[in-house]
Amino acid sequence: MEVHVNQHRVNTHTVHANRARMLISCPDGPGIVAAVSRFLHEHGANIVQSDQYTMDPEGGMFFMRVEFDLPNLAEALLQLEQDFGVVAEQFRMEWSISCVSRKKKLAIFVSKEDHCLVELLWQWQAGDLDADIAMVVSNHPDMKEYVESFGIPYHHIPVTAETKPEAEQRQLEVIGSDIDVIILARYMQIISPKFIEHYRNRIINIHHSFLPAFVGGKPYAQAYNRGVKIIGATAHYVTEELDGGPIIEQDVQRVSHRDDVTELKRIGRTIERVVLARAVKWHVEDRILVHENKTVVFN
Amino acid sequence: MEVHVNQHRVNTHTVHANRARMLISCPDGPGIVAAVSRFLHEHGANIVQSDQYTMDPEGGMFFMRVEFDLPNLAEALLQLEQDFGVVAEQFRMEWSISCVSRKKKLAIFVSKEDHCLVELLWQWQAGDLDADIAMVVSNHPDMKEYVESFGIPYHHIPVTAETKPEAEQRQLEVIGSDIDVIILARYMQIISPKFIEHYRNRIINIHHSFLPAFVGGKPYAQAYNRGVKIIGATAHYVTEELDGGPIIEQDVQRVSHRDDVTELKRIGRTIERVVLARAVKWHVEDRILVHENKTVVFN
Amino acid sequence: MEVHVNQHRVNTHTVHANRARMLISCPDGPGIVAAVSRFLHEHGANIVQSDQYTMDPEGGMFFMRVEFDLPNLAEALLQLEQDFGVVAEQFRMEWSISCVSRKKKLAIFVSKEDHCLVELLWQWQAGDLDADIAMVVSNHPDMKEYVESFGIPYHHIPVTAETKPEAEQRQLEVIGSDIDVIILARYMQIISPKFIEHYRNRIINIHHSFLPAFVGGKPYAQAYNRGVKIIGATAHYVTEELDGGPIIEQDVQRVSHRDDVTELKRIGRTIERVVLARAVKWHVEDRILVHENKTVVFN
Amino acid sequence: MEVHVNQHRVNTHTVHANRARMLISCPDGPGIVAAVSRFLHEHGANIVQSDQYTMDPEGGMFFMRVEFDLPNLAEALLQLEQDFGVVAEQFRMEWSISCVSRKKKLAIFVSKEDHCLVELLWQWQAGDLDADIAMVVSNHPDMKEYVESFGIPYHHIPVTAETKPEAEQRQLEVIGSDIDVIILARYMQIISPKFIEHYRNRIINIHHSFLPAFVGGKPYAQAYNRGVKIIGATAHYVTEELDGGPIIEQDVQRVSHRDDVTELKRIGRTIERVVLARAVKWHVEDRILVHENKTVVFN
């Protein structure tokens, strides 16, 4: 049914068949930008966008994102990557190159609250989220029909305290080896360290508070009890520390004494939706570099 | 299908069978609040929430919103309204009382852009919009299946320059006498003065700019050309002056030189959705009083 | 010298010789608004502004702020207060009435960071802060000449770990019995429970974080280390719990990975100034009611 | 007197004796970043920060800001500039290099409203504005003593409709040839085209509205009459078109029906101060490039 809705939409993302993005982290030092840009120029690439950031000019880390066009990218990429190894080794770089035309594959995890999932589906359908939603995984069956109406597979994998290890094993199986990033769209289960290890810096969670305030459960009730005048939401990469991973994006909204917990949740849902959608967009556009417990976001 | 989705939701609005809201506008003068609150107290009503505003203590207008509980409201209301006539006459009040349990009926007008409609449907389905969406009217057939999947009637009424009067006549017929408020959720047709007259201060439009900047067509292109650093959206009541009616709500988002028109539209869609949804919520909760070309919003 | 600067300013606050403000807290119940407004009307007062809030219609607390004009207020006030005792007793009210023409007296405490003090002095001088700055108290001598140039007494009272009790005693002496509210404008000493007891809900502190995140020392360094994307400031009443008192106002500003601790401090200074000034303004305009550890702010 | 206040402040700007900034605008094309970064690397410069922006990858304009350290900058700069001429000519660049250690010289123009001037003086004194305030020029004498107490020359040049040309001539004389940028800190006189021509893209004005809404006089009264729910301020370069020049920065604040014109002005003063101070900071840090009627701000 939504297929019909889909058809009238114009994809706002022009396909850039020959566009690629490069992410680099390394210790800062003289000549990095010169070396990278010369390398790209000599290989026939045209830099469309370039961002750098040096944490501390005296001995800090250097981060770079380059967006470039390269004729016949598909054929030329392997050679480019091989040749870049020399540059990368010289500056001890961690680096990666991705093709814009190869959309990232998302698995969205959800429990019963559906607003974050609905937002991602809507933005995807509107052409605003340039990724493939490959599947939805849930510990509840509620959203099955809704998700499948978009033509997206829905995996209902119940989780209990006893079955948790098996459930995670089952999740890893359905995810397979093909998923680039996992979105916890108000998925109310704690992810095990083993699972996290598989997807280091590739699991994005939305926490319904302005972290580090109100870590853990029932953050809106915590916010109400503390009497804050502003509430927020935080998208972050999942690490072994609960709600403690690198923050990608946060946003807030003013509230008043008139807003009870129900109203805070209502207001919060819109913040959560917007913040998670931004974080996912930046991730799939290769705009985020993680260093220790912080993010560099070139947006 | 969405019925299924609907079922798992908890309606966050407790039904207040005996709760009513009173809106009052009149020239300011001594004793108004005392007279109203004494009247309500003597009739057995308990004031739950009361807001007042005096435009100018010296000879200005007075505005009041009272939310009250009255035992057996359904039976008692008629007598209450009759008795209040004496108070109202004394202070030359314009006034109205509405029962919270009688949900307002909405007709949503839409063209091809669906994000505002989708947001209203989502908030309605989530129980955040305490109203009945009685129908959707469109000059295009595109959203028909989608809307009908919610069990909401969809009236496709094409509009051309030549058929405009007939189309409006047809719209008035399908609306009938039962609709409380009309929402122009990115409906891209100008409404005739005759139509506006039928629904004075009951047609809410979302304009995709921070009014009064960028009145008229293509506001995002106008914003891009002017090089503004912040874009916005405005919900307002429709009057005979294009984009000139009383403003209900506005919100904004920071943008930069990097954002082209396509990106401004993408960012703007989220602002439009949020601003229109707030305005509709306030209207159906009787929080808005209109005086000349301005609104008093008790929120 | 600044006297000259002072003279060219127009005081934007018209003197309201006959205007008073009443603050009420009591258990909710039927007829409160009616009783208060009838009482005022029968005593010849005209309600200019009235705000109410009920925490929970079922057995919650009721809060009310009424601004009214009463002819010959100065002579009539004592009788009004005596007569109101009957109403107050009936509803078990905590209440107070203050005359707008009697400006509240402020003592500002400051250490070495001067931006919050400078802001308050500027707003006061501009006529935007309707209060008397009666004195500045500091544990450092640095701002003495600057403060005295405004004609404001400056008390330099050094504080060390050993001399703290004597220093607080000395502070209480210079404050005397005449000060309505104490502003900790980045005063970097912890206030003792005994001192707090003297000025319960009358000491306003500005904390340089978005509480409850980053309680305690060096909040900007904490924020930098956590990698938050938004920083804030919080004005609150001082209680025995460090940075744990009732929050009056908060505001925030977006930051990025580019902002180091120095830059966070720079950005934060403007937030701190604005947030503290708002909180002080609301306090001196009797807009704040405290209930348990939360504030009701009628602004 | 303020000298004393000055002395206790720590300058937060470390002096970067060997740091320079380069601004480049040119038609986009392959190899620009590579050419610039190679040039700098071969001349012994280390790039600390680099930002680029391409308006449209197909035939648009390219903008670049590079911050770099060069040993013995003072001696090496002339040669560097001469050598760069070859690169610049190849790509048809407009470009400039400035030394961070050479602070830009500001002339601040002011009329009677002093809040923007006070903010700039305060930020300058706090070490947050890395520039020299060389003089204040005013058509009123009011601020003379205040400004001179900072050790800053104050030129009182009255302006009337008849004497305007002579007054501008006198202004140009006191400015001399040494001023880098002119700040109109609520200077309420229109600048002549001839004067603007002397300081093209070097005169920054603060307009007290969210442009392009409410161009011209009394914008707060205009905003009040239109009933907007958000007010703002705009810093822009002055061009021949009134309030029509390239926008540098804007910010906004939410208001309500309760805020009359006096209150809008009060709220607006803080927005104006913050927005102007940001624009001036970005200008003196060479973060702004102007293209046609828009700005590229690398912040």
Side-chain angles (χ1 to χ4, degrees):
Chain A
M1 175 194 63
E2 271 78 4
V3 173
H4 182 80
V5 177
N6 249 332
Q7 284 170 338
H8 83 279
R9 293 167 189 276
V10 178
N11 192 326
T12 57
H13 293 272
T14 316
V15 178
H16 295 294
N18 289 323
R19 183 159 296 176
R21 303 180 191 116
M22 186 183 231
L23 289 180
I24 297 169
S25 310
C26 64
D28 195 21
I32 302 175
V33 175
V36 172
S37 52
R38 184 167 54 185
F39 172 86
L40 288 172
H41 185 54
E42 288 175 359
H43 280 71
N46 185 34
I47 295 176
V48 171
Q49 171 74 41
S50 168
D51 292 279
Q52 295 92 50
Y53 165 64
T54 300
M55 208 163 249
D56 180 357
E58 311 294 326
M61 286 292 290
F62 171 88
F63 305 92
M64 188 172 188
R65 177 186 188 271
V66 190
E67 203 162 332
F68 60 89
D69 287 341
L70 180 64
N72 298 311
L73 178 67
E75 295 86 56
L77 184 61
L78 193 66
Q79 189 62 46
L80 190 85
E81 290 183 323
Q82 280 182 2
D83 294 355
F84 190 70
V86 181
V87 179
E89 197 168 350
Q90 180 189 350
F91 292 99
R92 291 183 290 145
M93 292 174 175
E94 288 186 41
W95 63 284
S96 63
I97 299 179
S98 64
C99 297
V100 171
S101 63
R102 188 215 164 266
K103 295 188 179 191
K104 292 207 170 40
K105 287 186 171 26
L106 272 53
I108 302 178
F109 279 43
V110 68
S111 290
K112 287 197 157 188
E113 294 259 20
D114 68 351
H115 52 284
C116 287
L117 172 64
V118 168
E119 179 74 21
L120 291 173
L121 287 170
W122 180 80
Q123 292 212 6
W124 169 74
Q125 203 179 41
D128 286 344
L129 176 58
D130 197 22
D132 282 340
I133 300 182
M135 69 183 68
V136 172
V137 177
S138 179
N139 53 337
H140 294 281
D142 307 57
M143 313 293 298
K144 183 175 168 63
E145 280 190 69
Y146 179 67
V147 168
E148 289 179 348
S149 78
F150 289 85
I152 298 171
Y154 186 92
H155 300 286
H156 173 216
I157 304 176
V159 180
T160 65
E162 298 76 37
T163 64
K164 186 137 190 179
E166 295 88 332
E168 279 210 344
Q169 188 53 44
R170 177 85 186 98
Q171 288 168 349
L172 287 170
E173 285 166 22
V174 303
I175 293 173
S177 59
D178 207 27
I179 294 296
D180 296 287
V181 55
I182 294 169
I183 315 299
L184 307 186
R186 295 297 306 270
Y187 180 67
M188 307 309 279
Q189 298 285 330
I190 291 175
I191 308 295
S192 77
K194 181 189 142 201
F195 193 110
I196 293 169
E197 194 51 49
H198 272 82
Y199 292 93
R200 177 69 58 193
N201 294 335
R202 293 194 293 146
I203 309 175
I204 298 175
N205 182 47
I206 180 74
H207 184 73
H208 37 317
S209 86
F210 183 77
L211 289 175
F214 313 132
V215 164
K218 299 194 181 303
Y220 291 120
Q222 290 186 56
Y224 178 77
N225 291 333
R226 183 61 188 92
V228 292
K229 300 300 185 186
I230 288 172
I231 60 169
T234 305
H236 64 93
Y237 288 112
V238 173
T239 63
E240 287 77 4
E241 186 189 348
L242 181 63
D243 302 329
I247 293 172
I248 302 168
E249 171 63 342
Q250 307 187 285
D251 213 338
V252 296
Q253 180 83 27
R254 188 165 284 275
V255 296
S256 88
H257 59 267
R258 296 190 185 232
D259 300 310
D260 59 14
V261 176
T262 300
E263 187 65 11
L264 294 185
K265 285 181 182 171
R266 194 190 66 75
I267 295 168
R269 280 195 283 270
T270 292
I271 318 175
E272 294 166 35
R273 288 193 281 154
V274 167
V275 167
L276 179 60
R278 273 191 217 137
V280 173
K281 179 177 159 62
W282 294 340
H283 183 98
V284 302
E285 293 177 4
D286 301 301
R287 296 186 177 282
I288 312 174
L289 286 146
V290 178
H291 178 63
E292 292 172 355
N293 206 43
K294 295 164 85 168
T295 61
V296 171
V297 181
F298 290 123
N299 64 332
Chain B
M1 174 194 64
E2 270 79 4
V3 173
H4 181 80
V5 177
N6 250 332
Q7 283 170 339
H8 84 278
R9 294 166 188 277
V10 177
N11 192 325
T12 57
H13 292 272
T14 316
V15 178
H16 295 293
N18 291 321
R19 184 158 296 175
R21 302 180 192 118
M22 187 183 229
L23 289 179
I24 297 170
S25 310
C26 65
D28 195 22
I32 302 175
V33 175
V36 172
S37 51
R38 183 167 55 186
F39 172 86
L40 288 172
H41 185 56
E42 289 175 359
H43 281 71
N46 185 34
I47 295 176
V48 172
Q49 171 74 39
S50 168
D51 293 278
Q52 297 92 49
Y53 165 64
T54 300
M55 208 163 248
D56 179 357
E58 311 294 326
M61 287 293 290
F62 172 88
F63 305 91
M64 187 171 190
R65 177 186 188 270
V66 190
E67 203 161 332
F68 59 88
D69 287 340
L70 180 64
N72 298 312
L73 178 68
E75 295 85 57
L77 184 59
L78 193 64
Q79 189 63 45
L80 189 84
E81 291 184 321
Q82 280 181 3
D83 294 355
F84 191 70
V86 181
V87 179
E89 198 168 350
Q90 181 189 347
F91 293 100
R92 290 184 289 146
M93 291 174 175
E94 288 186 43
W95 63 283
S96 62
I97 299 179
S98 64
C99 297
V100 170
S101 63
R102 188 214 163 268
K103 295 188 179 191
K104 292 206 172 40
K105 287 183 171 30
L106 272 54
I108 302 178
F109 279 43
V110 67
S111 290
K112 288 198 158 187
E113 294 259 19
D114 68 352
H115 53 283
C116 288
L117 172 64
V118 168
E119 179 74 20
L120 291 173
L121 288 170
W122 179 80
Q123 293 211 6
W124 169 75
Q125 204 180 41
D128 287 343
L129 177 59
D130 198 20
D132 282 339
I133 300 182
M135 69 183 69
V136 172
V137 176
S138 179
N139 53 335
H140 294 281
D142 308 56
M143 313 292 298
K144 183 175 169 61
E145 279 188 71
Y146 179 67
V147 168
E148 288 179 350
S149 77
F150 288 85
I152 298 171
Y154 186 92
H155 300 286
H156 172 215
I157 304 177
V159 180
T160 64
E162 297 76 37
T163 65
K164 186 138 192 179
E166 294 87 333
E168 280 210 344
Q169 189 53 43
R170 177 86 187 99
Q171 288 169 351
L172 286 170
E173 285 166 21
V174 302
I175 293 172
S177 59
D178 207 28
I179 294 296
D180 295 287
V181 55
I182 294 169
I183 315 298
L184 307 186
R186 296 297 305 272
Y187 180 67
M188 307 308 281
Q189 297 285 329
I190 290 174
I191 309 295
S192 77
K194 180 191 144 201
F195 192 110
I196 293 169
E197 194 51 48
H198 272 83
Y199 291 94
R200 176 69 56 193
N201 294 335
R202 294 194 291 146
I203 308 174
I204 298 176
N205 182 49
I206 181 73
H207 184 73
H208 37 316
S209 85
F210 183 77
L211 289 175
F214 312 131
V215 164
K218 300 194 181 299
Y220 291 120
Q222 291 186 55
Y224 177 77
N225 291 333
R226 183 61 187 90
V228 292
K229 300 300 185 185
I230 288 173
I231 60 168
T234 305
H236 64 95
Y237 289 114
V238 173
T239 63
E240 287 76 5
E241 186 189 348
L242 180 65
D243 302 328
I247 292 172
I248 302 168
E249 171 63 340
Q250 305 186 287
D251 213 337
V252 296
Q253 180 82 30
R254 188 166 283 275
V255 296
S256 87
H257 59 266
R258 294 190 185 233
D259 299 309
D260 59 15
V261 176
T262 300
E263 188 65 11
L264 295 186
K265 285 182 181 170
R266 194 190 66 75
I267 295 169
R269 279 195 284 269
T270 292
I271 317 175
E272 295 166 35
R273 287 192 283 154
V274 168
V275 167
L276 179 61
R278 273 191 216 137
V280 173
K281 179 177 159 62
W282 294 341
H283 183 98
V284 301
E285 293 177 6
D286 301 301
R287 298 186 176 279
I288 312 174
L289 287 146
V290 178
H291 179 62
E292 292 172 352
N293 206 43
K294 295 164 84 168
T295 62
V296 172
V297 181
F298 290 124
N299 64 333
Chain C
M1 176 194 64
E2 269 78 4
V3 173
H4 181 81
V5 177
N6 250 331
Q7 285 171 337
H8 84 277
R9 294 167 188 278
V10 177
N11 192 326
T12 57
H13 292 273
T14 316
V15 178
H16 295 294
N18 290 322
R19 184 159 295 175
R21 303 179 192 117
M22 187 183 229
L23 289 179
I24 297 169
S25 310
C26 64
D28 196 22
I32 301 175
V33 175
V36 172
S37 52
R38 183 166 57 185
F39 172 86
L40 288 172
H41 184 55
E42 289 174 359
H43 280 72
N46 186 34
I47 295 176
V48 172
Q49 172 74 39
S50 169
D51 293 278
Q52 296 92 50
Y53 164 65
T54 300
M55 207 163 250
D56 179 357
E58 312 292 328
M61 287 292 289
F62 172 88
F63 305 91
M64 187 172 190
R65 178 186 188 270
V66 190
E67 203 162 333
F68 59 89
D69 287 340
L70 180 64
N72 298 312
L73 177 67
E75 295 86 56
L77 184 60
L78 193 66
Q79 190 62 48
L80 190 85
E81 290 183 322
Q82 282 182 1
D83 294 357
F84 191 70
V86 182
V87 180
E89 198 169 349
Q90 181 189 348
F91 293 100
R92 292 184 290 146
M93 292 173 175
E94 287 186 43
W95 63 284
S96 63
I97 299 178
S98 65
C99 297
V100 170
S101 64
R102 189 214 162 268
K103 294 188 180 190
K104 292 205 172 39
K105 288 188 171 22
L106 273 53
I108 302 178
F109 280 42
V110 68
S111 290
K112 288 198 156 185
E113 294 258 20
D114 68 351
H115 53 284
C116 288
L117 172 64
V118 168
E119 179 74 19
L120 291 172
L121 288 170
W122 179 81
Q123 293 211 4
W124 169 76
Q125 204 179 41
D128 287 344
L129 177 59
D130 198 21
D132 281 340
I133 300 182
M135 68 184 67
V136 172
V137 177
S138 178
N139 53 336
H140 294 282
D142 307 57
M143 312 292 298
K144 184 174 167 62
E145 279 189 70
Y146 179 67
V147 168
E148 289 179 349
S149 78
F150 289 85
I152 298 171
Y154 186 92
H155 301 286
H156 173 216
I157 304 176
V159 180
T160 64
E162 298 75 38
T163 65
K164 185 138 193 179
E166 295 87 332
E168 278 210 345
Q169 190 53 44
R170 178 88 186 99
Q171 288 169 350
L172 286 169
E173 284 165 22
V174 302
I175 293 173
S177 59
D178 208 29
I179 294 295
D180 296 287
V181 56
I182 293 169
I183 315 299
L184 307 186
R186 295 297 304 272
Y187 180 67
M188 308 309 280
Q189 298 284 330
I190 290 174
I191 308 296
S192 78
K194 182 189 140 200
F195 193 111
I196 293 168
E197 194 51 49
H198 272 82
Y199 292 93
R200 177 70 55 194
N201 294 335
R202 293 194 293 146
I203 308 174
I204 298 175
N205 182 48
I206 181 74
H207 184 74
H208 36 316
S209 85
F210 183 51
L211 288 175
F214 313 130
V215 164
K218 299 195 181 300
Y220 290 121
Q222 291 186 55
Y224 178 77
N225 291 333
R226 183 61 188 90
V228 292
K229 300 300 185 185
I230 287 172
I231 60 168
T234 305
H236 64 93
Y237 288 114
V238 173
T239 62
E240 287 76 5
E241 185 189 348
L242 181 65
D243 302 330
I247 293 172
I248 303 168
E249 171 64 342
Q250 306 187 287
D251 213 337
V252 296
Q253 181 82 28
R254 188 165 282 276
V255 296
S256 87
H257 59 266
R258 295 191 185 231
D259 300 309
D260 60 15
V261 176
T262 300
E263 187 66 9
L264 295 185
K265 285 181 182 171
R266 194 190 66 77
I267 295 168
R269 279 195 283 269
T270 292
I271 317 174
E272 294 166 36
R273 288 192 283 155
V274 168
V275 167
L276 179 61
R278 273 190 216 137
V280 173
K281 179 177 158 63
W282 294 341
H283 183 98
V284 302
E285 292 177 4
D286 301 301
R287 298 186 177 280
I288 312 174
L289 286 145
V290 179
H291 179 63
E292 293 171 354
N293 206 42
K294 295 163 84 167
T295 61
V296 172
V297 181
F298 290 124
N299 64 332
Chain D
M1 177 193 60
E2 271 78 4
V3 173
H4 182 80
V5 177
N6 249 332
Q7 283 170 339
H8 85 278
R9 293 166 189 277
V10 178
N11 192 326
T12 57
H13 293 273
T14 317
V15 178
H16 295 293
N18 290 322
R19 184 159 295 175
R21 302 180 192 117
M22 187 183 229
L23 289 179
I24 297 170
S25 310
C26 64
D28 195 21
I32 301 175
V33 175
V36 172
S37 51
R38 184 168 53 185
F39 172 86
L40 288 171
H41 184 55
E42 288 175 358
H43 282 71
N46 185 34
I47 294 176
V48 172
Q49 171 74 41
S50 168
D51 293 278
Q52 296 92 48
Y53 164 64
T54 300
M55 207 161 249
D56 180 357
E58 312 293 327
M61 286 293 291
F62 171 88
F63 305 92
M64 188 172 191
R65 178 187 187 269
V66 190
E67 205 162 330
F68 59 89
D69 286 340
L70 179 65
N72 298 312
L73 179 67
E75 295 86 56
L77 184 61
L78 193 66
Q79 188 64 46
L80 190 85
E81 291 184 322
Q82 280 182 2
D83 294 356
F84 191 70
V86 180
V87 178
E89 197 169 352
Q90 181 189 350
F91 293 99
R92 289 184 291 145
M93 293 174 174
E94 287 186 42
W95 64 283
S96 63
I97 300 178
S98 65
C99 297
V100 171
S101 63
R102 189 216 163 267
K103 295 188 180 190
K104 291 205 172 41
K105 286 185 171 26
L106 272 55
I108 302 179
F109 279 43
V110 67
S111 290
K112 288 197 157 187
E113 295 259 21
D114 68 352
H115 52 283
C116 288
L117 172 63
V118 168
E119 179 75 20
L120 291 173
L121 288 170
W122 178 81
Q123 293 211 5
W124 169 74
Q125 203 179 42
D128 287 343
L129 177 58
D130 197 21
D132 282 340
I133 300 182
M135 69 184 70
V136 172
V137 176
S138 178
N139 53 335
H140 293 282
D142 308 57
M143 312 293 297
K144 182 175 168 63
E145 280 189 68
Y146 179 67
V147 168
E148 289 179 349
S149 78
F150 289 86
I152 297 171
Y154 185 93
H155 300 287
H156 173 215
I157 303 177
V159 180
T160 64
E162 297 76 38
T163 65
K164 186 136 190 180
E166 294 87 334
E168 280 210 343
Q169 188 54 43
R170 176 87 186 98
Q171 288 169 349
L172 287 170
E173 285 166 21
V174 302
I175 293 172
S177 59
D178 208 27
I179 294 296
D180 295 288
V181 55
I182 294 169
I183 315 298
L184 307 186
R186 295 297 305 272
Y187 179 68
M188 307 309 279
Q189 298 285 330
I190 291 175
I191 308 296
S192 77
K194 181 191 142 200
F195 193 111
I196 293 169
E197 193 51 49
H198 273 83
Y199 291 93
R200 177 68 57 193
N201 294 336
R202 293 194 293 145
I203 308 174
I204 298 176
N205 182 48
I206 180 73
H207 184 72
H208 36 317
S209 87
F210 182 54
L211 288 176
F214 312 131
V215 165
K218 300 193 180 303
Y220 291 121
Q222 290 187 55
Y224 178 78
N225 290 334
R226 183 61 188 91
V228 292
K229 300 300 184 185
I230 287 173
I231 59 169
T234 304
H236 64 94
Y237 289 113
V238 173
T239 62
E240 287 76 4
E241 186 188 349
L242 181 64
D243 303 328
I247 293 172
I248 302 168
E249 171 63 341
Q250 306 187 286
D251 213 337
V252 296
Q253 180 82 28
R254 187 165 284 276
V255 297
S256 87
H257 59 267
R258 296 190 185 230
D259 300 309
D260 60 14
V261 176
T262 301
E263 188 66 10
L264 295 185
K265 285 181 183 172
R266 195 190 65 76
I267 295 168
R269 279 195 283 269
T270 293
I271 317 174
E272 294 167 34
R273 288 193 282 155
V274 168
V275 167
L276 179 60
R278 273 192 216 136
V280 173
K281 179 177 159 61
W282 295 340
H283 183 98
V284 300
E285 293 177 4
D286 302 302
R287 297 185 177 281
I288 313 174
L289 286 145
V290 178
H291 179 64
E292 293 172 353
N293 206 43
K294 296 164 85 168
T295 61
V296 172
V297 181
F298 290 123
N299 64 334

